[in-house]
């Protein structure tokens, strides 16, 4: 079997109503006549270096006929670098800012109702990606009309659909989540899981990463937290949209989970494809990057104010199963789910 067979999608329904179609289907074909004959400058503010998101973004604009100079600034997860990046942006005045992740986006644009807006970028268009809950993070007040200078894309399936996927794979009684309590996005995800599981027969084992004296999450604690999840009888380890856990420590997390024979579910695809997590429900990172570029195109070529462009997610998600991990854990999915899944078998 090839490692990347034809991707099958499920809409955000699995055990609920399926959504018809995908926003991506509305993307125009061909080169838009309105692309100005000039070179644009785009500053990309990232949290973990370039990946398929950024490659998809760049590829979309290139194929649409845009000429772009990119400036890449990577915080490496250290948002303390953002004031310096903001000053650089003010000096260079790019045509657009691409922001990856909740910490970077919030640090650049602030809360939409912040009392000190001069501390943030409010006069240059910003498109964000990999922000799971932009309303809860107070980046925008409304998804349909985000307002201000900001729009973007959401990359994860709704929490009820995530849980439907897990329970379609296997009925479980206990699920653990390890998360960075300093990351607002992660705290909001845990709150969402907690609320959704009130009416489901699944206990949520919440394991925040302890903080160092400098009030930073302690990466050395991750293996013990996985062991604690196993000791407390977790039947699934939930890996949310947590930059600290799912990106900076994903190799350790996946390896420790396998060591303790603990199945893993992720809301993003990379840890399943490259680091031996077991199961994901995710939109393609490359596809999300392209969709984010579609928002940028509406600003750069269409002249639309960012605040009038809806914040959206792709409406279909791929179930991705890492079969070597499944066989190692002897935690097999039902045959019916395999009809929907993309199976990685190497």
């Amino acid at each position: 079997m090839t490692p990347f067979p034809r991707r099958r999608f499920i809409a955000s329904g699995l055990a609920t109503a399926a959504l018809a179609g995908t926003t991506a289907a509305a993307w125009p074909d061909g080169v838009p006549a309105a692309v100005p004959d000039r070179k644009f400058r785009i500053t990309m503010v990232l949290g973990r270096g370039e990946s398929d998101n950024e490659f998809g973004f760049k590829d979309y604009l290139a194929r649409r006929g845009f000429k772009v100079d990119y400036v890449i600034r990577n915080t490496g997860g250290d948002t303390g670098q953002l004031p310096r990046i903001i000053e650089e942006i003010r000096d260079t005045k790019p045509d657009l800012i691409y922001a990856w992740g909740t910490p970077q986006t919030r640090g650049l644009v602030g809360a939409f109702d912040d009392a000190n807006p001069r501390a943030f970028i409010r006069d240059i268009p910003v498109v964000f990606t990999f922000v799971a809950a932009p309303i809860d993070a107070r980046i925008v007040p409304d998804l349909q009309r985000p307002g201000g200078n900001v729009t973007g894309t959401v990359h994860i399936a709704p929490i009820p659909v995530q849980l439907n996927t897990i329970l379609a794979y296997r009925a479980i009684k206990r699920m653990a989540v390890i998360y960075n309590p300093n990351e607002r996005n992660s705290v909001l995800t845990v709150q969402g899981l907690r609320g959704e599981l009130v009416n489901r027969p699944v206990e949520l084992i919440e394991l925040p990463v302890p903080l160092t004296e400098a009030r930073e999450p302690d990466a050395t604690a991750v293996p013990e937290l996985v062991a604690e999840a196993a000791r407390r009888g977790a039947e699934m380890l939930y890996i949310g949209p947590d930059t600290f856990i799912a990106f900076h420590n994903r190799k350790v997390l996946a390896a420790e989970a396998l060591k303790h024979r603990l199945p893993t579910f992720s809301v993003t695809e990379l840890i399943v494809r490259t680091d031996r997590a077991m199961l994901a429900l995710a939109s393609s990172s490359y596809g999300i990057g392209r969709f984010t570029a579609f928002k940028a195109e509406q600003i750069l070529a269409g002249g639309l104010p960012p605040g009038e462009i809806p914040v959206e997610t792709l409406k279909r998600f791929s179930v991705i199963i890492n079969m070597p991990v499944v066989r190692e854990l002897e935690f097999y999915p039902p045959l019916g789910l395999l009809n929907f899944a993309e199976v990685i078998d190497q």
Side-chain angles (χ1 to χ4, degrees):
M1 182 180 293
T2 58
F4 300 106
R6 182 173 63 87
R7 184 185 295 259
R8 297 186 180 94
F9 293 98
I10 64 169
S12 43
L14 211 81
T16 60
L19 292 173
T22 170
T23 308
W27 296 353
D29 295 321
V31 177
V35 173
D37 185 19
R38 53 163 291 197
K39 183 168 282 189
F40 292 95
R41 290 180 295 117
I42 296 178
T43 296
M44 290 183 145
V45 182
L46 312 179
R48 66 340 173 206
E50 289 188 80
S51 70
D52 279 352
N53 286 77
E54 290 68 52
F55 301 147
F57 183 92
K58 291 179 177 181
D59 186 53
Y60 178 92
L61 290 182
R63 289 174 182 268
R64 301 291 285 169
F66 285 83
K67 293 176 286 223
V68 181
D69 281 336
Y70 291 96
V71 174
I72 311 297
R73 294 293 178 260
N74 181 30
T75 69
D78 177 12
T79 55
Q81 298 186 40
L82 287 173
R84 173 183 58 80
I85 293 172
I86 287 173
E87 287 306 310
E88 178 186 337
I89 287 171
R90 285 178 173 150
D91 289 340
T92 58
K93 295 180 173 58
D95 298 292
L96 184 87
I97 301 166
Y98 168 105
W100 182 93
T102 301
Q104 282 69 231
T105 306
R106 178 68 183 262
L108 286 170
V109 304
F112 65 84
D113 55 354
D114 195 284
N116 184 25
R118 293 184 180 180
F120 306 104
I121 299 294
R122 296 293 175 86
D123 58 347
I124 298 172
V126 176
V127 291
F128 62 75
T129 189
F130 259 69
V131 173
I135 291 179
D136 289 338
R138 304 196 67 73
I139 292 169
V140 299
D142 184 87
L143 296 182
Q144 287 303 306
R145 294 188 65 84
N149 64 320
V150 184
T151 189
T153 57
V154 177
H155 64 292
I156 65 170
I159 286 176
V161 182
Q162 298 171 26
L163 295 173
N164 289 343
T165 303
I166 293 169
L167 295 174
Y169 191 104
R170 183 74 64 89
I172 61 171
K173 295 181 179 178
R174 297 180 188 86
M175 181 175 74
V177 55
I178 298 172
Y179 67 98
N180 174 11
N182 272 3
E183 196 168 325
R184 180 174 173 80
N185 194 60
S186 303
V187 173
L188 292 169
T189 297
V190 173
Q191 291 174 356
L193 288 170
R194 192 186 301 148
E196 182 63 26
L197 288 175
V198 167
N199 297 315
R200 299 181 188 244
V202 180
E203 175 190 351
L204 184 64
I205 302 170
E206 300 178 21
L207 298 170
V209 178
L211 303 179
T212 65
E213 290 184 2
R215 305 300 297 169
E216 295 295 330
D218 183 1
T220 65
V222 171
E224 175 54 30
L225 290 171
V226 177
E228 176 68 12
R231 282 195 296 269
R232 292 175 62 177
E235 299 163 86
M236 187 73 72
L237 177 60
Y238 177 95
I239 306 168
D242 185 308
T243 304
F244 176 78
I245 292 294
F247 290 95
H248 296 304
N249 290 283
R250 65 177 188 268
K251 291 184 184 296
V252 171
L253 186 77
E256 289 295 319
L258 276 175
K259 174 181 172 182
H260 292 281
R261 300 189 61 78
L262 182 56
T264 43
F265 169 85
S266 175
V267 301
T268 57
E269 64 177 336
L270 187 62
I271 191 171
V272 175
R273 292 197 183 281
T274 66
D275 298 291
R276 305 194 75 214
M278 186 189 78
L279 172 68
L281 177 68
S283 292
S284 148
S285 294
Y286 183 85
I288 287 290
R290 285 175 53 81
F291 193 31
T292 308
F294 171 57
K295 305 287 183 183
E297 179 184 38
Q298 292 177 281
I299 297 167
L300 298 175
L304 291 179
E308 295 180 10
I309 301 172
V311 175
E312 299 173 281
T313 185
L314 295 175
K315 297 299 190 292
R316 293 183 181 183
F317 305 91
S318 209
V319 176
I320 307 169
I321 300 174
N322 189 316
M323 283 305 295
V325 173
V326 167
R327 286 191 284 267
E328 185 171 335
L329 295 174
E330 298 181 331
F331 200 82
Y332 295 96
L335 291 177
L337 188 60
L338 288 175
N339 290 332
F340 294 98
E342 176 185 342
V343 175
I344 299 171
D345 203 4
Q346 69 169 12

